[in-house]
Amino acid sequence: MDLSVSVDDGVALLEMRRPPANHFDEVLIGGIVDAARELDDDPRCRVIVLASEGRHFCAGADFGGGDFAADHVDAAARLYRRAVQLFDVRTPIVAAVQGTAVGGGLGLACAADFRVAEAGTRFVANFARLGFHQGFGLSVTLPDLVGRQKATDMMLTARRVGGEEAYRIGLADRLAETGRVRETARALAVEIAASAPLAVRSIRATLRGDLAGRVRAALDHELAEQRVHWATKDAAEGIAASLARRSPTFTGE
């Protein structure tokens, strides 16, 4: 099974099971959305912890195999149609981010209300090093979390942001001891679950405002930009270099 769901003491654990990188596709994201929607209507659940099995939280799409390798644009369009529905979920979500959250995996982490990391966690917006525009709504969610300037820094340099820096700049909400990311995420979820559930959902909805609408508009723009870039030599080079684990050489073509 690629996804498991369990509920205990007001907290649902939604776990991705595609280790070690936990690459996603339309099927996995759709499964997360459908499970979260069911939990919205489950009186036993007040908070969702989104976690993953294995070494890393999520490395985004797999450009070396599956739907994305066959047709980037079609796979992304189908994925985004499902991903945007995650922003309509009414239950607060805490992401337990171990290892790395890269590319679309960073987008998935930023779709949660809270992120829990440890010092060794790495958040990476690596799109420019792959030769194409960012996706998964990061044009909205990342600047909302860290501010436009820091988001621009992360996007244009594609550098790795460690857990401690992520905590300082607001990308991570809790910094766990090494090896205790999931436990710390659950502790935060339990703390939220102790509050009045109707009030929690109402407060959350007010503070989020039209986040879902903003992300929908951003996804349309992101996909349009990606469609152009995926036809370039730079994107072909960036993806090939990433798969070969070498530095890319871009020509602006």
Side-chain angles (χ1 to χ4, degrees), residues 23-24 43-44 55 57-58 63-64 74 77 81 84 94 104 109 115 120-121 124 134 160 178 185 194 197 206 234:
H23 286 292
F24 59 50
R44 300 174 302 157
R55 183 178 176 185
F57 176 73
C58 182
F63 287 91
D74 179 68
R81 279 195 294 269
V84 72
V94 179
R115 282 142 301 283
T121 300
V124 191
Q134 70 271 11
R160 296 186 173 195
T178 300
T206 297
D234 274 354

CSV table of all heavy atoms in Angstrom, one decimal, residues 23-24 43-44 55 57-58 63-64 74 77 81 84 94 104 109 115 120-121 124 134 160 178 185 194 197 206 234:
chain,number,residue,atom,x,y,z
A,23,HIS,N,8.5,9.5,-3.9
A,23,HIS,CA,8.1,10.3,-5.1
A,23,HIS,C,6.5,10.2,-5.2
A,23,HIS,O,5.9,9.1,-4.9
A,23,HIS,CB,8.7,9.7,-6.4
A,23,HIS,CG,10.1,10.0,-6.6
A,23,HIS,ND1,10.6,11.3,-6.8
A,23,HIS,CD2,11.2,9.2,-6.5
A,23,HIS,CE1,11.9,11.3,-6.9
A,23,HIS,NE2,12.3,10.0,-6.8
A,24,PHE,N,5.9,11.3,-5.6
A,24,PHE,CA,4.5,11.2,-5.8
A,24,PHE,C,4.0,11.3,-7.2
A,24,PHE,O,4.8,11.6,-8.1
A,24,PHE,CB,3.8,12.3,-5.0
A,24,PHE,CG,4.2,13.8,-5.3
A,24,PHE,CD1,4.2,14.2,-6.7
A,24,PHE,CD2,4.5,14.7,-4.3
A,24,PHE,CE1,4.5,15.5,-7.0
A,24,PHE,CE2,4.8,16.0,-4.7
A,24,PHE,CZ,4.8,16.4,-6.0
A,43,PRO,N,-15.7,12.1,13.0
A,43,PRO,CA,-15.7,12.8,14.3
A,43,PRO,C,-14.5,12.4,15.2
A,43,PRO,O,-14.2,13.1,16.2
A,43,PRO,CB,-17.0,12.4,14.9
A,43,PRO,CG,-17.4,11.1,14.2
A,43,PRO,CD,-16.8,11.2,12.8
A,44,ARG,N,-13.8,11.3,14.9
A,44,ARG,CA,-12.7,10.9,15.7
A,44,ARG,C,-11.4,11.7,15.4
A,44,ARG,O,-10.5,11.7,16.2
A,44,ARG,CB,-12.3,9.4,15.5
A,44,ARG,CG,-13.4,8.4,15.8
A,44,ARG,CD,-13.0,7.0,15.3
A,44,ARG,NE,-12.7,7.0,13.9
A,44,ARG,CZ,-11.9,6.2,13.3
A,44,ARG,NH1,-11.3,5.2,14.0
A,44,ARG,NH2,-11.7,6.2,12.0
A,55,ARG,N,13.6,7.2,4.7
A,55,ARG,CA,14.6,8.2,5.0
A,55,ARG,C,14.1,9.7,4.7
A,55,ARG,O,14.6,10.6,5.3
A,55,ARG,CB,15.8,7.9,4.1
A,55,ARG,CG,17.0,8.8,4.4
A,55,ARG,CD,18.2,8.4,3.6
A,55,ARG,NE,19.3,9.3,3.7
A,55,ARG,CZ,20.5,9.2,3.0
A,55,ARG,NH1,20.6,8.2,2.1
A,55,ARG,NH2,21.5,10.1,3.2
A,57,PHE,N,11.1,12.7,3.4
A,57,PHE,CA,9.7,13.1,3.4
A,57,PHE,C,9.1,12.9,2.0
A,57,PHE,O,8.2,12.1,1.8
A,57,PHE,CB,9.5,14.5,3.9
A,57,PHE,CG,8.1,15.0,3.8
A,57,PHE,CD1,7.1,14.5,4.7
A,57,PHE,CD2,7.7,15.9,2.8
A,57,PHE,CE1,5.8,15.0,4.6
A,57,PHE,CE2,6.4,16.4,2.7
A,57,PHE,CZ,5.5,15.9,3.6
A,58,CYS,N,9.7,13.6,1.0
A,58,CYS,CA,9.2,13.5,-0.4
A,58,CYS,C,10.1,14.2,-1.3
A,58,CYS,O,10.5,15.4,-1.1
A,58,CYS,CB,7.8,14.1,-0.5
A,58,CYS,SG,7.0,14.0,-2.1
A,63,PHE,N,11.0,12.1,-12.4
A,63,PHE,CA,11.2,12.4,-13.9
A,63,PHE,C,11.9,11.3,-14.6
A,63,PHE,O,12.1,11.3,-15.8
A,63,PHE,CB,11.9,13.7,-14.1
A,63,PHE,CG,11.0,14.9,-13.8
A,63,PHE,CD1,11.0,15.5,-12.5
A,63,PHE,CD2,10.2,15.5,-14.8
A,63,PHE,CE1,10.2,16.6,-12.2
A,63,PHE,CE2,9.4,16.6,-14.5
A,63,PHE,CZ,9.4,17.1,-13.2
A,64,GLY,N,12.4,10.3,-13.8
A,64,GLY,CA,13.1,9.2,-14.4
A,64,GLY,C,12.2,8.0,-14.7
A,64,GLY,O,12.7,7.0,-15.2
A,74,ASP,N,1.2,16.5,-19.4
A,74,ASP,CA,0.0,15.8,-19.0
A,74,ASP,C,0.0,15.3,-17.6
A,74,ASP,O,-1.0,15.4,-16.9
A,74,ASP,CB,-0.2,14.6,-20.0
A,74,ASP,CG,-1.5,13.9,-19.7
A,74,ASP,OD1,-2.6,14.4,-19.9
A,74,ASP,OD2,-1.4,12.7,-19.3
A,77,ALA,N,-0.5,18.3,-15.2
A,77,ALA,CA,-1.8,18.8,-15.3
A,77,ALA,C,-2.8,17.9,-14.4
A,77,ALA,O,-3.6,18.5,-13.7
A,77,ALA,CB,-2.3,18.9,-16.7
A,81,ARG,N,-4.5,19.1,-10.7
A,81,ARG,CA,-6.0,19.0,-10.5
A,81,ARG,C,-6.3,18.4,-9.2
A,81,ARG,O,-7.3,18.7,-8.6
A,81,ARG,CB,-6.7,18.3,-11.7
A,81,ARG,CG,-6.9,19.2,-12.9
A,81,ARG,CD,-7.8,18.5,-13.9
A,81,ARG,NE,-7.4,17.3,-14.5
A,81,ARG,CZ,-6.7,17.2,-15.6
A,81,ARG,NH1,-6.4,18.3,-16.3
A,81,ARG,NH2,-6.3,16.0,-16.1
A,84,VAL,N,-4.6,20.7,-5.9
A,84,VAL,CA,-5.3,21.9,-5.4
A,84,VAL,C,-6.4,21.5,-4.5
A,84,VAL,O,-6.7,22.4,-3.6
A,84,VAL,CB,-5.8,22.7,-6.6
A,84,VAL,CG1,-7.0,22.0,-7.3
A,84,VAL,CG2,-6.1,24.1,-6.2
A,94,VAL,N,-0.5,18.8,9.9
A,94,VAL,CA,0.9,19.0,10.4
A,94,VAL,C,1.8,18.0,9.6
A,94,VAL,O,1.5,16.8,9.6
A,94,VAL,CB,1.0,18.6,11.9
A,94,VAL,CG1,2.5,18.8,12.4
A,94,VAL,CG2,0.1,19.5,12.7
A,104,GLY,N,8.5,19.4,-5.8
A,104,GLY,CA,7.1,19.2,-5.4
A,104,GLY,C,6.9,18.7,-4.0
A,104,GLY,O,5.9,18.9,-3.4
A,109,ALA,N,4.8,19.8,1.5
A,109,ALA,CA,5.0,20.2,2.9
A,109,ALA,C,4.4,21.5,3.1
A,109,ALA,O,3.9,21.8,4.2
A,109,ALA,CB,6.5,20.2,3.2
A,115,ARG,N,4.8,22.6,9.7
A,115,ARG,CA,5.9,21.7,9.3
A,115,ARG,C,6.8,21.5,10.6
A,115,ARG,O,7.2,22.5,11.2
A,115,ARG,CB,6.7,22.3,8.2
A,115,ARG,CG,6.1,22.2,6.8
A,115,ARG,CD,6.3,23.4,6.0
A,115,ARG,NE,5.8,24.6,6.6
A,115,ARG,CZ,4.5,24.9,6.6
A,115,ARG,NH1,3.6,24.1,6.0
A,115,ARG,NH2,4.1,26.0,7.2
A,120,GLY,N,18.7,18.0,10.7
A,120,GLY,CA,19.2,17.4,9.5
A,120,GLY,C,18.2,17.5,8.3
A,120,GLY,O,18.5,17.0,7.2
A,121,THR,N,17.0,18.0,8.5
A,121,THR,CA,16.1,18.1,7.5
A,121,THR,C,16.6,19.1,6.4
A,121,THR,O,17.2,20.1,6.8
A,121,THR,CB,14.7,18.6,8.0
A,121,THR,OG1,14.2,17.6,9.0
A,121,THR,CG2,13.7,18.7,6.9
A,124,VAL,N,14.3,22.1,-0.2
A,124,VAL,CA,15.0,22.5,-1.4
A,124,VAL,C,14.0,22.8,-2.5
A,124,VAL,O,13.2,21.9,-2.9
A,124,VAL,CB,15.9,21.3,-1.9
A,124,VAL,CG1,16.8,21.9,-3.0
A,124,VAL,CG2,16.7,20.7,-0.8
A,134,GLN,N,8.8,26.8,-10.9
A,134,GLN,CA,8.3,26.0,-9.8
A,134,GLN,C,6.8,25.7,-10.0
A,134,GLN,O,6.1,26.3,-10.8
A,134,GLN,CB,8.5,26.9,-8.5
A,134,GLN,CG,7.5,28.1,-8.4
A,134,GLN,CD,8.2,29.3,-9.0
A,134,GLN,OE1,9.2,29.3,-9.7
A,134,GLN,NE2,7.6,30.5,-8.7
A,160,ARG,N,20.0,24.3,-0.5
A,160,ARG,CA,19.4,23.5,0.6
A,160,ARG,C,19.3,24.3,1.9
A,160,ARG,O,20.2,24.9,2.3
A,160,ARG,CB,20.2,22.2,0.9
A,160,ARG,CG,20.3,21.3,-0.3
A,160,ARG,CD,21.0,20.0,0.1
A,160,ARG,NE,21.0,19.0,-1.0
A,160,ARG,CZ,21.3,17.7,-0.8
A,160,ARG,NH1,21.6,17.3,0.4
A,160,ARG,NH2,21.2,16.9,-1.8
A,178,THR,N,16.9,15.1,17.0
A,178,THR,CA,17.2,14.2,15.9
A,178,THR,C,16.5,12.9,16.2
A,178,THR,O,16.5,12.3,17.3
A,178,THR,CB,18.7,14.0,15.9
A,178,THR,OG1,19.3,15.2,15.6
A,178,THR,CG2,19.0,13.0,14.8
A,185,ALA,N,5.8,16.1,15.8
A,185,ALA,CA,4.6,16.5,15.0
A,185,ALA,C,3.3,16.0,15.7
A,185,ALA,O,2.3,16.8,15.7
A,185,ALA,CB,4.7,15.9,13.6
A,194,ALA,N,-6.7,19.4,21.4
A,194,ALA,CA,-7.2,19.7,22.7
A,194,ALA,C,-8.1,20.9,22.7
A,194,ALA,O,-8.9,21.2,23.6
A,194,ALA,CB,-6.1,19.8,23.8
A,197,PRO,N,-12.9,22.0,18.6
A,197,PRO,CA,-12.8,21.7,17.2
A,197,PRO,C,-13.6,22.6,16.3
A,197,PRO,O,-13.1,23.0,15.2
A,197,PRO,CB,-13.3,20.3,17.1
A,197,PRO,CG,-14.2,20.0,18.3
A,197,PRO,CD,-13.6,20.9,19.4
A,206,THR,N,-10.7,31.4,8.6
A,206,THR,CA,-10.6,32.9,8.6
A,206,THR,C,-9.2,33.3,8.2
A,206,THR,O,-9.0,34.2,7.4
A,206,THR,CB,-11.0,33.5,9.9
A,206,THR,OG1,-12.4,33.2,10.2
A,206,THR,CG2,-10.8,35.0,9.9
A,234,ASP,N,17.5,23.5,-21.9
A,234,ASP,CA,17.9,23.7,-20.5
A,234,ASP,C,17.2,22.7,-19.6
A,234,ASP,O,17.8,22.1,-18.7
A,234,ASP,CB,17.7,25.1,-20.0
A,234,ASP,CG,18.9,26.0,-20.4
A,234,ASP,OD1,19.9,25.5,-20.9
A,234,ASP,OD2,18.8,27.2,-20.1
